[in-house]
Amino acid sequence: METKVQALRKLTPGCLLDLSAERDNPHDAFAVEIRFGSIKLGYVPRSDNRHISRLLAQGATLKCTAIEINPDAEVWNCVRVEIGMLVDGYECTN
């Protein structure tokens, strides 16, 4: 079974990541998990997760892209991502 560290070493800028709302999270009802394949990389920061969680619940098509990877950083700073939404076939990012 691949570990998180091994997955981080395979990850490169531009890789697409999966997002999923984690409604049953006991610490944050708006938690949004970020995964690379079967490996949980972490969560969208609480300061940004409420809108993303609501969009996922509404069925919005979101794209999560790794833009910076540092496997040696603190666990909460290993991966920097950009999240965009597809609207009428166009990608919107912030």
Side-chain angles (χ1 to χ4, degrees):
M1 179 176 227
E2 186 173 48
T3 68
K4 183 176 176 177
V5 172
Q6 290 169 326
L8 286 169
R9 298 217 184 274
K10 289 182 181 178
L11 194 59
T12 58
C15 282
L16 295 180
L17 306 172
D18 297 314
L19 296 173
S20 60
E22 199 175 82
R23 293 277 185 201
D24 59 348
N25 185 304
H27 305 288
D28 184 356
F30 297 102
V32 176
E33 183 181 68
I34 301 173
R35 296 184 83 80
F36 180 53
S38 63
I39 304 295
K40 179 194 282 191
L41 297 177
Y43 293 90
V44 172
R46 188 181 296 241
S47 59
D48 301 318
N49 70 359
R50 187 173 293 240
H51 297 298
I52 294 167
S53 177
R54 288 179 175 161
L55 287 167
L56 288 169
Q58 293 171 5
T61 303
L62 301 181
K63 179 180 173 184
C64 182
T65 307
I67 57 174
E68 187 177 318
I69 299 95
N70 182 353
D72 301 319
E74 297 292 339
V75 68
W76 56 87
N77 282 326
C78 289
V79 181
R80 189 166 157 231
V81 302
E82 178 178 81
I83 298 173
M85 182 170 70
L86 295 177
V87 179
D88 295 329
Y90 295 98
E91 184 176 348
C92 302
T93 58
N94 191 3

